[in-house]
Amino acid sequence: MSDSKNPGDKTSGGGQNKTLSLKRPVEHGTVRQSFSHGRSKSVVVEKVKRRAVSGEAKEAAPAAASRPAATRPAASQPAAATPRRPAGQRQTGVVLRTLTEEEREARIRALALAKGREEEERRKAEEEERRRQEREAAERAAREAEEARRREEEERRKAAEEAARKAGAPETGAAPREATPRYETGPATPTAIVARPRPAGSRPPVLLSPRPPAAPRQPEPAKPESAPEAPAARPAPAAAPARTAAIADDDAPRGRRPGQRPSAAPKPGKSVAGEERRRGRLTINTAHNAGEERTHSVAAFRRRMQRMNRGSANEQKERLSREVTIPETITIQELANRMSERAVDVIRMLMRQGQMHKITDVIDGDTAQLIAEEFGHTVRRVADADVEEGLFSDDDPDETKLPRPPVVTIMGHVDHGKTSLLDALRKTRVVEGEAGGITQHIGAYQVTSPLGGKITFIDTPGHAAFTAMRARGARVTDIVVLVVAADDGVMPQTIEAIDHARAAGVPLIVAINKIDKPTADPQRVRNELLRHGVVVESMGGETLEFEVSAKTGLNLDKLLEGLQLQAEILDLRANPDRSAEGSVIEAKLDRGRGPVATVLVERGTLRVGDIVVAGCEWGRVRALVADDGRQLKEAGPSVPVEVLGFNGTPEAGDRVAVVENEARAREVTEFRTRQRREKLAARGAASGRSLADMMRDLREGGGKKELALVIKGDVHGSVEAIRASIEKLGNDEVTARILHAGVGGVTESDVTLASASRATVMGFNVRANKEAREAAERAGVEIRYYNVIYDLIDDVRDAMSGLLTPTLREHKLGEAVVQEVFDVSKVGKVAGCRVSEGVVERGAHVRIIRDSIVIHEGKLSQLKRFKDDVKEVTSGQECGMSFERFEDMRKGDVVECYRVEEIRRTL
């Protein structure tokens, strides 16, 4: 903004020298405002000047302020009632205005509030003065009672002394001994002061010890008002060389020294300064709590307790003896917590023994036991494996068991119709969703038999790679159904299924499938089973057999009836009223639901909300899903369910148990995780090579080649089968090294790991996300996808075969004899030879033999016949030869010509 330019104001600017004079100030003015681009605007403003206060007003201001509120003029008087200014008084330039109704009401309220506050302060001061007077009156009464008691005691003592003096007075008529004691201040000038007579009712004199004359007088400490104060000593005469004891004047008022002026009592109606300071300003809390007495704060109480306990803080506390559980290894912090001791005390004790440790260091069990016993505690040693004690209980009593459905496992060779048979029983189409028409996942289902009972089926793959799945199914089963195709007979996986059933000790039922085909031969199947020790009922054995057809549904009801009868013979029972236990059939990582585990409950009842432990993973059950997709609240014995809520994907085959709390679950899983890590480290150390082995490989110019792989699958069973199949491949020269194998889609971390190790990512029934694909393109990492396990294993085998060193095989072409050696300028030495056998080719490998000793191996660089270069020379002809990097030929040397062929090796 620019400077103000008022029209008619000639006092500044203009360059005109005018005489300055007092003029009546104007009430309005204009201000010119400047804007951008040269624009400006004049605005009319009102000038407000500060009113000058005259000397009489300044003198009247303190007097008006000292007047009480009642004598002040009411705020309701309008501002216009101000007395007019005298004619000779200078104009102040203040524009007066009339108060509005709101302002007048606000002033009235403020004055009323101030008046009420003053009344409240006056009332509080009067109340405090009244309390003080009452307190002084009570103290005065207590003092009078104390004085009366002392007078009675003094009179009683005097009477006793008088009686004793009369009883022990000598008969010689000597004057009695004076009762008033005499005091000597020193051996040089014995001086005695006789106590002056005391008025009746006064206190007895207090005798003070004499002080040396050179010592300065020490100030006496202040004493509380309620405690009686000893009288001060009277000064000794000036002629005495030493100060003597004196008798205090009892007539002096209490609480002050003789000669001290009494302090003026506070005037009634006014509060003490300290009281005013404690009250503070008026706030909402003080306004609400005006009638309440102020109490000590929490901080004051804490300080008081600290002062009281200060003396007992240094006392040695009595130590409590506890039973401390010590495992094989424990941290110093955990040991201190279990002993309820300070960790710094434990570290100090270790330092006395010459060991320097931190609070997070791990010490062995023996050292921890010595420390605990040093602190006075009793020790109970446990092993790390003790954390699993009680996790799986023993068998339940027979009276608590109830009948349960049987668990039946379908086993057999690949493509013999196991999943088709189970689809026909369940009236589903699971087989259509399997890639390649073969089952590559293990599944669990429940079927209702014609007799009304429930039967739990477990479907296992038939491929050779899924041996672990078949073994896992046989371990949790009650009955094994061996499916054999009538047109194919007994195959390798059929024999493996028979071995699994025998190892599990469960009964076997044979289902001869595909009986509807024209090439079916059930009798051939029976005869082949007889070779492996399986005797069916039709041939006089005890093994049940059924000729069924999954395509037409032939004899499926008879199969179910046979399974139900076999279950009744076995009398399968379990206790449902206890904590659940079971096994993980399969586990996978679902993008929307997280880790999902298919659990078969073996005994007890699994409920939503239970805390479960499975292998190295634990979690709280969030949902239970049946095989048909229904949500369940609980699952009893022999019921397969999908469990949601694990914090990680457990491994297939892990035992599942319900624990009481999360602390127990963490303790068990941490122990198992540590154990698995140690096993993996031991396995890696055992399979690794030593430094001597690597030095030998470098010296030999070779070494064991490795194919690095990262495997990701949809379920844990498939990953387990792929890992087992790949580990079987390889030989002494090449092997496959699996860097990571997990469940779920290919992530960016998998690509990063593969890029750092120059590995290939193998995805089985999974895909990579967008971030992983982009990272793979940037890093040049190859990601291969498979949905059939055969293709994945074949590709890995071919890749490992490509790393093998090819086999070199020699084919002899012919021989030639050196007849003469010629020295040709610009060419070097040339051997004139005659081909004695076979053919000599240019560029072929040659071996020069002299006296039956090979002196050179190389290649034939030039081959000439007469003066022409030729490709080959046949037997009986003469030619000229020159060799690469060799010219020491002699007459009679034999040149053997041969070709080397590379043969590719395979695993």
Side-chain angles (χ1 to χ4, degrees), residues 369-408:
Q369 180 178 355
L370 292 176
I371 294 173
E373 291 175 351
E374 188 71 20
F375 277 101
H377 303 291
T378 58
V379 176
R380 183 170 67 91
R381 295 293 298 271
V382 296
D384 290 342
D386 292 344
V387 299
E388 294 187 344
E389 288 185 1
L391 194 62
F392 298 99
S393 59
D394 299 332
D395 197 7
D396 300 315
D398 294 337
E399 58 271 10
T400 61
K401 295 182 180 180
L402 298 177
R404 65 172 178 85
V407 179
V408 180

Side-chain angles (χ1 to χ4, degrees), residues 679-696:
K679 288 181 180 178
L680 292 176
R683 185 192 308 172
S687 60
R689 294 178 296 165
S690 63
L691 182 61
D693 296 337
M694 289 189 288
M695 294 298 292
R696 186 182 63 252

Side-chain angles (χ1 to χ4, degrees), residues 153-165:
E153 292 180 356
E154 183 69 18
E155 291 174 359
R156 191 182 303 109
R157 185 179 60 81
K158 285 182 179 182
E161 289 179 357
E162 185 70 21
R165 188 173 62 252

